[in-house]
Amino acid sequence: MADNLHSGYFNRGLDAVDPEIWRALQAEEERQQDGIELIASENIVSRATLEALGSSIVNKTVEGYPGNRYYGGATQADQIESIAIERANRLFNCAYANVQPHSGSQANLAVFLAFVKPGDTVLSMDLSAGGHLSHGSRANLTGKWFDIRHYGVRPDDGLLDYDDVETQAKSCLPKLIICGGSAYPRAVDFERFRRIADDVGAILLADMAHFAGLVAGGVHPNPIPHAHVSTATTYKNLRGARGGMILSADESLARKLNSAVFPGVQGSVMLNTVAAKAVCLGEALRPEFKTYAKAVLDNARVLASTLAACGLDVVTGGTDTPLMLVDLRGLSLTGDRASESLERAGLTCNKNGIPGDSQPPTVTSGLRFGVSAGTTRGFGTSEFESIGQLIAEVILGLANNPTSQDQLEKRILTKARALTGRFPIYADVI
Ligand code: DSN
């Protein structure tokens, strides 16, 4: 009977067991191969990372931290998590790392739990200025349970106004100040933020989700020496498994932050993800990752300057990170229509609010582009110059000659396929 019940259970492949899901995964792999991926929060992980994610450690349940677990059989779990922690500390030059957060939002929520109580005042960047949902957006738990005050960016140039942040901090006396976000393309002055936080007795959280890979590669300022605590995601330009981390130079915060993650906001550990995070952190410690990080920055700058040279309005005029924003208001276009047209032409990006946007988040007046995934598959500055021209052709076509857009999209799609065909990604992984 056991044979019938378990026939092939341990050995049959996905294609045989569940052809429906297998086919969808195959189609997704083809989509990734054929399309030009410009979503700033995406990347293409190594085969080694895929192996760790699909490994049998997914079967193991542990709670707690290495050496202090609530379940037995944790020898390998402890080893893997300790390696990930040690690598994170070495990579970011910090004294404390928690690699358990399931996402950047969970990491941020744990920081809230560690340092503020419901009703306390928190000062963070407005979502429409480039902040993040988990920094106190009204739709998020953090926005419902805390007294959130927001700073924005200057309307004329889209840049942070540090004097305004300081004035607001002195007026609202927050317990927590958050810098960094998901759509601010420029480097943040962490030192200035720390001075402001110290002046008002606040904890400073730097969210480096969108530039952690550049910090790891040494081409972007590191917030760790300045912020009390920093959070990151591992799947953007750090090029690893989907998840979050909490980092700090101050080891004395370990107890507070660890207990905020577990048992504060999470239960058992996703050990396959922790193993995969260890792999990507190991990859990022290798010298070739510095070359990758530099290429990401070079490519981002070329893409931004090409878009601007083609007549598009690039918010802040450029970028210091892997991402950039295009303001479509001057073309009377919305982000949803433009991103849909780009997708039909083989270029995937996301609609995004821009500073001062009057459109709702489902529509928006902007687009966000990122270069991390394209750089991983081997695109260099000449490819990103061509990509910038293709993007501009689609957007300007939609604005100026919408009746011919269908043909234009088909023409650009052929060019996009020709480009991606020269830069293959996984072969036969699934
Ligand atoms: N925070 C979202 C983004 O920036 O796209 C997901 O990582």
Side-chain angles (χ1 to χ4, degrees), residues 2-14 16-17 58-59:
D3 272 358
N4 285 341
L5 267 181
H6 296 291
S7 169
Y9 182 80
F10 293 114
N11 299 314
R12 286 174 75 212
L14 183 60
V17 173
V58 74
N59 298 326

Side-chain angles (χ1 to χ4, degrees), residues 39-41 132 182-183 210 233 235-236 242 350 368:
I39 293 178
S41 46
H132 190 256
S182 61
H210 273 278
T233 50
Y235 57 94
K236 299 184 176 91
R242 200 150 281 278
N350 66 281
R368 187 182 66 162

Side-chain angles (χ1 to χ4, degrees), residues 298-335:
D298 290 348
N299 287 340
R301 290 194 163 137
V302 164
L303 181 59
S305 62
T306 306
L307 295 173
C310 290
L312 298 178
D313 182 358
V314 176
V315 176
T316 78
T319 185
D320 304 318
T321 68
L323 68 85
M324 66 216 66
L325 284 179
V326 169
D327 184 341
L328 299 167
R329 288 177 297 192
L331 297 168
S332 300
L333 283 179
T334 51

Side-chain angles (χ1 to χ4, degrees), residues 164-204:
D164 176 61
V165 176
E166 185 172 343
T167 305
Q168 285 209 56
K170 285 184 171 157
S171 141
C172 73
L173 299 175
K175 292 250 168 60
L176 177 68
I177 298 178
I178 307 175
C179 61
S182 61
Y184 185 68
R186 293 298 185 171
V188 170
D189 185 344
F190 305 116
E191 224 174 317
R192 178 83 194 266
F193 261 103
R194 177 58 186 258
R195 281 204 304 276
I196 296 170
D198 283 347
D199 275 354
V200 300
I203 292 285
L204 177 63

Side-chain angles (χ1 to χ4, degrees), residues 116-153:
V116 284
K117 295 196 166 34
D120 279 352
T121 302
V122 175
L123 180 62
S124 67
M125 188 190 254
D126 198 278
L127 187 60
S128 67
H132 190 256
L133 278 169
S134 63
H135 296 184
S137 157
R138 273 201 304 271
N140 187 265
L141 180 150
T142 52
K144 296 181 195 296
W145 290 7
F146 300 91
D147 170 30
I148 304 290
R149 313 293 174 94
H150 285 309
Y151 57 87
V153 289

